[in-house]
Amino acid sequence: MRKKGFLYAALRVFDLSLSEMLWSRRTVFMLLVTGVPVILALVVRAADVLGASTWRVNNTAMNGAGIFGLMIWAFYLRFSIPVLGAFYGTALIADEVEDKTITFLFTRPISRSAVLFGKYLAYLVCTMLVVLPSVAIVWMLVAPLGGGSLGATFIDLAKDLPILAAGLAVYGALFALVGATFKRPLLTGLIFVFGFEPAVLVFPGYLKKLTVAYYLQGLVPQAMPNDTVVSLVQQIFREVPSLTTSLVALAVITGVTLWLAGRTVTNKEYILEQ
Amino acid sequence: MTKRTRYFIAVASLIMVAVLGTGTVAYFNGGLPLAAFRSGPDDLSYVPSDSSLVAYANVRDIMSSEFRQKLRETVPTGEARDEFLSETGIDIERDVNSVLVATEASANDPGKAPDHALVLVRGVFQQAQIEALATQHGATVSEYKGKRLITMKPENGGTTMAVAFLEPALLAVGGDAYVRRAIDAKGGDNITANADMMKLINDLDGNNNAWAVGRVDDIQKVTGLPEAIKSQMPAVQWFAVTGHVNGGLSGTIRAEARDDKAAENLRDVVRGAMALARLQMGHDQNLDTVINSLQMTGTGKTVALSFAVPSSVVDSLAGFASRQAPHVPNVERKER
């Protein structure tokens, strides 16, 4: 049987995987992660409508733009994006191995890397369909607080959405490689997200250039909140790469890790446990 | 792709289109009714459009605040206040509702500063009593475009000062030319037509009872700042300071930089200063509270630093001031 073209094959896998991914138990977790900020924004907005006068964070009055910036950092950039990347990215191939269904995919007349790429596309669409509307709803609810206006903060939202999408793409590609390489990929991914990245960003030096957060956080229009001691230390030693450096680095990380993941899946011999 | 997946994609896409569409309309219209759009106090319609600094204080709100009560315990001001009350019929604490101050962009000569400043006071005024007092001191009363205008030329030949009754409850005080321009401004060429200034005013938090916004290059001319500071200021184009006085004092200082790079540099400077301040922590609990309240925010060209002075700090400052001040017998206030 003749092998189909790479893109055609990837799109077929994407079509098959999207529904499977969207209606899986993992999506419940994703809805929870992205639903909390929406619920919080709803509560804050309702309190504002009922007459709460000033919003304070760390004893400081904040307007809508400030609260939205804080939520982007705390809920999405530092938590949802890397965590969703780790949960979904590591599972792209690992789930098929665990369910022992990888044989069915790999016996089709399509390249193994097309399978991975199709699943990666499905992950991107699936997570963006949930994360981006969540951010948009939070913005609608929070931006007008404290005399703020939608018009004044729209540019921030317009920048935040592609940055978060880029974050999902980069973390997804990186963890797809982790999923294809390591035996316990989720644990490795979570150690990277909650251990390596925050630790390295705190110290001065070149190591932070080996993280995704360094390039991603440099793009965010809102200033980093100094809500914890770690954030404060991060701010002191923070270097912000230029826009070009950040974009090139993120593109390179995505491209290289995705290519390496495809290569690993192609060359690896999967022995299913009986 | 299953049917419910298609529905899910359609709903998510619909949310995005609706939000981005609303945002685009809001961005190009400068706000939406939904966005709690405000346009500052009505008195702005008397401020000439080329004013470089506008500051406002809701005196009534501040005077009735707990913060004011605390300051009053420390700083007795009875005698001077009673003298002013008997001469003009104005009780500063009770009769003044708000004060709006504006300065002109051309105020580059500090010696002529009063000529370029305008104070709009909203409150309760005894017009006849004020006119009588002014004429007693050599002022002349005339009319300009239907408004009563009291003008007084100082004996040393300085700037002619004027007081105008713009409305029954609105008084304008300032240089004669500026006060006349304020009367003219009501017709149309006022600050509400200045898009840059109004953008800053509209962005102010409506809960603050004092604020000031201005263009930095114009302020530089007025104040004659030291060269070292002036050299750093071109990076900042606009500034806005807002404050809320209640039990304590909280506020935000916001600067609009020339470009994103200048703003990032400014953020670095503020971060450094905040880090330095935090190194001093641990000696004084009150100071620690204030330093902990410092919060830097801002996006793009905007840099904002918010702060809060809690009531406990005000209490201890008041206690310190009363220990330092020489004992002055408190003059009993006359009730009106």
Side-chain angles (χ1 to χ4, degrees):
Chain A
M1 205 180 288
R2 197 170 64 86
K3 274 200 173 186
K4 301 282 185 190
F6 180 85
L7 198 64
Y8 175 82
L11 287 175
R12 288 293 297 146
V13 175
F14 161 77
D15 194 37
L16 280 169
S17 306
L18 182 61
S19 299
E20 194 186 311
M21 215 175 263
L22 201 57
W23 306 109
S24 65
R25 270 177 297 175
R26 207 169 263 119
T27 308
V28 178
F29 169 74
M30 178 161 64
L31 285 174
L32 207 71
V33 165
T34 54
V36 167
V38 175
I39 292 167
L40 198 71
L42 261 173
V43 170
V44 169
R45 187 60 197 263
D48 188 64
V49 169
L50 292 173
S53 55
T54 311
W55 292 101
R56 291 176 179 279
V57 177
N58 288 343
N59 209 19
T60 305
M62 291 192 91
N63 64 2
I67 297 172
F68 178 64
L70 200 67
M71 290 178 89
I72 285 288
W73 274 94
F75 289 112
Y76 295 100
L77 212 64
R78 285 178 177 163
F79 187 75
S80 302
I81 301 299
V83 164
L84 291 179
F87 267 78
Y88 279 86
T90 55
L92 294 182
I93 294 296
D95 266 11
E96 300 287 350
V97 175
E98 200 176 306
D99 297 344
K100 301 183 180 68
T101 49
I102 192 113
T103 331
F104 303 117
L105 276 173
F106 285 175
T107 50
R108 307 303 300 168
I110 51 175
S111 70
R112 287 183 175 194
S113 52
V115 172
L116 179 91
F117 190 66
K119 280 179 160 287
Y120 172 75
L121 280 183
Y123 145 79
L124 265 188
V125 173
C126 179
T127 47
M128 281 185 198
L129 281 175
V130 179
V131 174
L132 301 189
S134 158
V135 176
I137 293 169
V138 166
W139 173 76
M140 279 288 276
L141 291 168
V142 162
L145 293 173
S149 76
L150 293 179
T153 49
F154 180 64
I155 290 296
D156 291 346
L157 174 79
K159 286 179 184 171
D160 286 333
L161 291 176
I163 290 167
L164 296 178
L168 288 169
V170 184
Y171 278 113
L174 177 68
F175 293 125
L177 173 64
V178 173
T181 312
F182 292 98
K183 186 134 181 135
R184 295 189 190 282
L186 184 58
L187 187 68
T188 314
L190 291 178
I191 289 173
F192 179 82
V193 168
F194 293 115
F196 179 72
E197 281 204 322
V200 160
L201 288 174
V202 165
F203 299 107
Y206 66 89
L207 267 181
K208 60 183 71 169
K209 291 179 182 170
L210 301 177
T211 65
V212 175
Y214 172 71
Y215 302 103
L216 200 61
Q217 293 181 2
L219 294 173
V220 182
Q222 288 95 349
M224 183 194 278
N226 53 344
D227 48 352
T228 59
V229 178
V230 174
S231 311
L232 185 74
V233 178
Q234 267 187 31
Q235 280 186 8
I236 295 169
F237 296 116
R238 195 179 179 209
E239 296 162 23
V240 181
S242 69
L243 177 71
T244 320
T245 310
S246 294
L247 291 177
V248 170
L250 292 175
V252 167
I253 296 169
T254 311
V256 169
T257 50
L258 212 52
W259 177 75
L260 282 174
R263 215 176 124 83
T264 309
V265 170
T266 306
N267 297 333
K268 195 169 181 177
E269 190 182 351
Y270 289 93
I271 301 164
L272 303 179
E273 288 174 13
Q274 297 303 312
Chain B
M1 203 182 292
T2 61
K3 204 178 209 176
R4 61 176 180 170
T5 303
R6 281 199 200 101
Y7 282 138
F8 192 90
I9 294 173
V11 171
S13 308
L14 212 66
I15 293 172
M16 290 309 292
V17 169
V19 171
L20 292 177
T22 310
T24 309
V25 172
Y27 179 69
F28 286 107
N29 286 348
L32 283 177
L34 177 72
F37 186 72
R38 298 181 306 103
S39 54
D42 296 339
D43 303 350
L44 288 173
S45 57
Y46 286 104
V47 177
S49 63
D50 61 347
S51 299
S52 59
L53 170 82
V54 180
Y56 173 82
N58 185 334
V59 179
R60 173 58 56 93
D61 203 16
I62 295 168
M63 288 299 180
S64 58
S65 72
E66 203 185 317
F67 182 80
R68 164 67 189 157
Q69 305 306 324
K70 282 172 186 167
L71 283 185
R72 206 151 99 193
E73 287 163 17
T74 320
V75 190
T77 54
E79 202 169 4
R81 200 191 70 158
D82 288 346
E83 196 182 323
F84 187 76
L85 170 64
S86 63
E87 287 200 352
T88 63
I90 301 172
D91 183 336
I92 297 167
E93 280 195 26
R94 294 173 186 210
D95 294 341
V96 177
N97 292 335
S98 66
V99 174
L100 191 146
V101 179
T103 61
E104 267 183 317
S106 54
N108 51 2
D109 182 354
K112 288 184 178 176
D115 209 7
H116 300 283
L118 174 74
V119 181
L120 297 173
V121 187
R122 190 166 278 280
V124 181
F125 308 112
Q126 311 294 330
Q127 189 175 334
Q129 199 173 342
I130 293 170
E131 282 185 8
L133 178 73
T135 46
Q136 258 178 36
H137 287 83
T140 54
V141 180
S142 59
E143 282 215 358
Y144 179 73
K145 293 190 176 175
K147 311 283 182 195
R148 298 284 284 177
L149 191 70
I150 304 169
T151 48
M152 188 171 180
K153 192 157 181 68
E155 286 171 3
N156 60 7
T159 304
T160 303
M161 298 300 292
V163 176
F165 293 92
L166 302 176
E167 291 172 20
L170 184 63
L171 198 74
V173 183
D176 183 32
Y178 206 174
V179 170
R180 285 172 197 268
R181 287 185 58 211
I183 296 170
D184 297 338
K186 181 68 176 172
D189 188 23
N190 57 51
I191 199 89
T192 58
N194 182 331
D196 291 332
M197 192 70 99
M198 287 312 291
K199 185 180 176 302
L200 283 175
I201 294 172
N202 289 331
D203 284 349
L204 297 171
D205 183 350
N207 296 311
N208 291 307
N209 44 28
W211 53 259
V213 297
R215 209 184 148 80
V216 172
D217 49 3
D218 292 334
I219 303 302
Q220 273 178 280
K221 293 174 198 165
V222 178
T223 52
L225 291 166
E227 204 53 46
I229 297 175
K230 268 187 180 178
S231 64
Q232 298 297 320
M233 287 187 81
V236 180
Q237 284 190 311
W238 294 88
F239 78 92
V241 182
T242 56
H244 183 82
V245 181
N246 200 348
L249 174 69
S250 62
T252 306
I253 301 163
R254 182 181 149 190
E256 291 283 325
R258 187 184 53 235
D259 49 38
D260 287 8
K261 182 74 185 162
E264 196 49 52
N265 289 341
L266 198 58
R267 280 190 206 111
D268 286 341
V269 171
V270 177
R271 268 187 211 114
M274 283 168 66
L276 200 64
R278 277 169 205 266
L279 287 176
Q280 311 299 318
M281 286 170 68
H283 304 297
D284 184 340
Q285 200 183 347
N286 289 326
L287 187 65
D288 292 358
T289 314
V290 176
I291 292 172
N292 276 329
S293 77
L294 292 173
Q295 181 88 22
M296 194 184 68
T297 53
T299 61
K301 292 195 289 183
T302 307
V303 181
L305 180 71
S306 45
F307 62 90
V309 182
S311 55
S312 59
V313 177
V314 176
D315 285 341
S316 57
L317 282 176
F320 178 76
S322 59
R323 282 196 302 276
Q324 296 296 313
H327 180 71
V328 178
N330 205 346
V331 179
E332 200 178 314
R333 294 172 59 233
K334 278 193 280 187
E335 291 299 321
R336 292 176 71 203

